[in-house]
Amino acid sequence: MAERIEQRLEDRIPELEQLERVGLFTRKEIRAVLRKATALEYKIQRRALRKEDFINYIQYEVNLLELIKKRRARIGYSFKKDEIEYSILHRVHSLFNRATGKWKDDVQLWLSHVAFCKQWNAKHQLSKVFSTMLAIHSNKPALWIMAAKWEMETRLSSESARHLFLRALRFHPECPKLYQEYFRMELMHAEKQRKEKKEFEQAKMDLGEFNYSEEILNGEMARIVYRDASQKIKGVEFQLAVLSIAKLFDFTQDLQKEILESLQARYADDPLTWDYMARRELELGSPQPTEHTTKQKKVSEMAQKEERCCAVFDEAVRAVPTEDMWKCYITFCLERYNRKTNSEQLKQKRLERTLSVFSKAHESNLLSEALYKQWLQLLLDSSLSEKAVEVAEAATRHFSQSVETWQMRLQVLIQLKRDDVTQCFEEAIKHVKSKGTLPLWTLWVEWSEGTNSKEDTEALFQRSLRATTPPESVTMKEKYLDWTYRNCGYKKVKRLFTSLCENRPFSLDFFRKMIQIEKEQESCKMLHLREYYERALREFGSTNTDLWLDYVKEELSHPQGKPENSGSIHWRAMKMLQGDLVEDFVSKYTLLQTGHL
């Protein structure tokens, strides 16, 4: 191993001599580089190889290259690159090859090599990297697309890119993304040829030696790709994705027409098809605005376009009366309403249209729970409170089992300070199953605290503990304890704590809250703190190390504490804690004893 390392270090000597001779590095820096390289070489020549050692070595060499680049720029020296940089580049490629050969499955390592090749313009090496990587990771379409894009955009080789896409499609014959990028590549190739031909014609050159096929120039290859993909890939999303790509090129009108006809013929009942056809009206028939076009005229034109969109949507909800179709219609209306405009008339028209569409969807019983929430928010923002109350009530009739819908209705009533809030709470609790009602009880007690008497709120807390499931009652116990302390004082909260401790389950925060309350008293008694800690440890002593440590701290720091008790607490903790928690407790306890915790 030593001989191999010595040989690799000797191979560095010519480049290091050149670095010193041309004044890029000093002799001291050369020695430092050699020492670091020796250490890194020994790490990558061990029997048990580690990926991190290769990454560190590569990073060091890359940093060295960057430093040389900066030094060259500073002194204005640009010669001897073959002897210096190319030697380091060769070594980095060699390191990457060894690393990727050892850890073939690490895609990030391959991508790092690709990024390095791109950064240093190593085209020949990058071609080899892509070839090897795709042979190993042929199951990843994104890598095929990356390689094909590089061939097309950097090497300007559409033939190589096409070859890669065809190979990729043999492995992934039903991958939409591959077909989309292949389709895009063929259109880019056609556009490139069209530009070349145009430039030659402008220069009045003879095109006899150049073979520009009219079919290729008109995107016929892309059409073939599209037709082949359409047979294998079903779904309107793919058709729309391909159509959006075709629209980027100004010579694809016929192709766009074909895709659009296929879309309408094969997916006439799909909401996304109607959504696209409706939104398309915004783009159609829009002459370029001139300097003399008035703002009023622009507003009028936009209003007319939106009317045409809505006419298509109206036809759509008649042809495809589904929840998804109404969702597309409403989403469009909300998008238009949220667009900024200086015309109050246009904004009001958009609002009226949006509210009308919400109402129609509601009348058709095809409005989802999420859209009811959006409708309510829009009504509240528009100060239509009475209508908001009606809509909230309608939403709870349609989704009577939904906690979120009842919560939404109650928040509306509370916000508007209505008198029937209590009645609505009662109705909600009656309709919703006990499991999952915690948000309703939380909202109810929070509202009651600011509205009702202490007695009513306390009765509500007591009722919530009986009505909620045991896991949910834990939260209500915490809230009850906190409310009682804030409103009724220390003696009442102490009695309540004792009472609540009779019924499990509990949370750790429940006990910690009571401990905090005791510590806030002027005459904080250690006897009470011990009781609370002991109760908490009975429940959580086997799973929580911090609780034991806090107990020890309390005995050590409290005026009435007994430091001699810390030993017995430590012994009990060691017996009670489970698994790795014992080791964690011992280390923290040691830090506590030495004053570091």
Side-chain angles (χ1 to χ4, degrees), residues 342-485:
N342 293 324
S343 170
E344 285 299 321
Q345 183 184 354
L346 182 60
K347 189 154 186 75
Q348 185 60 30
K349 196 169 186 177
R350 286 171 173 172
L351 175 61
E352 289 170 4
R353 182 193 298 128
T354 307
L355 293 174
S356 172
V357 173
F358 269 119
S359 295
K360 289 175 183 175
H362 165 64
E363 289 164 12
S364 304
N365 292 325
L366 292 170
L367 202 58
S368 67
E369 190 178 347
L371 289 177
Y372 268 113
K373 189 173 184 180
Q374 288 181 287
W375 189 9
L376 269 175
Q377 193 58 54
L378 184 62
L379 289 166
L380 292 171
D381 292 343
S382 306
S383 302
L384 299 168
S385 54
E386 290 302 319
K387 183 66 177 174
V389 172
E390 289 177 30
V391 169
E393 188 179 348
T396 51
R397 278 201 305 272
H398 279 88
F399 303 97
S400 60
Q401 298 290 316
S402 169
V403 174
E404 290 78 12
T405 306
W406 281 105
Q407 199 175 356
M408 185 170 64
R409 179 182 173 186
L410 288 161
Q411 283 168 343
V412 169
L413 294 176
I414 291 169
Q415 188 176 336
L416 299 174
K417 297 182 179 177
R418 298 288 292 247
D419 297 331
D420 53 347
V421 176
T422 303
Q423 183 186 338
C424 187
F425 270 118
E426 295 287 0
E427 195 180 343
I429 297 300
K430 186 171 71 176
H431 280 89
V432 180
K433 294 176 182 176
S434 61
K435 187 177 181 181
T437 56
L438 179 61
L440 295 178
W441 285 108
T442 303
L443 185 62
W444 197 352
V445 295
E446 285 173 357
W447 169 79
S448 179
E449 185 178 350
T451 310
N452 298 336
S453 64
K454 291 181 182 178
E455 291 76 14
D456 290 342
T457 305
E458 186 168 11
L460 198 57
F461 269 116
Q462 293 282 0
R463 185 179 163 191
S464 72
L465 293 176
R466 293 192 298 271
T468 52
T469 59
E472 289 177 337
S473 69
V474 167
T475 306
M476 295 310 300
K477 284 176 184 175
E478 292 172 24
K479 290 184 177 295
Y480 192 6
L481 202 68
D482 182 57
W483 175 85
T484 304
Y485 178 58

Side-chain angles (χ1 to χ4, degrees), residues 4 8 11-12 15 41 44-45 49 53-55 57-59 61-62 65 85-103 109-110 113 116-117 122 125-126 128-129:
R4 196 181 309 136
R8 290 173 66 85
D11 292 342
R12 279 177 172 269
E15 78 195 48
E41 280 290 347
I44 66 164
Q45 296 297 340
L49 296 177
D53 294 332
F54 279 88
I55 292 170
Y57 198 168
I58 290 166
Q59 190 59 56
E61 295 289 9
V62 169
L65 281 168
E85 277 93 336
Y86 291 171
S87 173
I88 300 173
L89 287 171
H90 177 74
R91 189 160 53 250
V92 173
H93 288 309
S94 175
L95 287 167
F96 266 122
N97 289 337
R98 279 189 65 192
T100 51
K102 174 73 175 172
W103 296 281
L109 204 55
W110 288 99
H113 196 182
F116 177 78
C117 291
Q125 186 66 33
L126 182 51
K128 287 182 180 178
V129 173

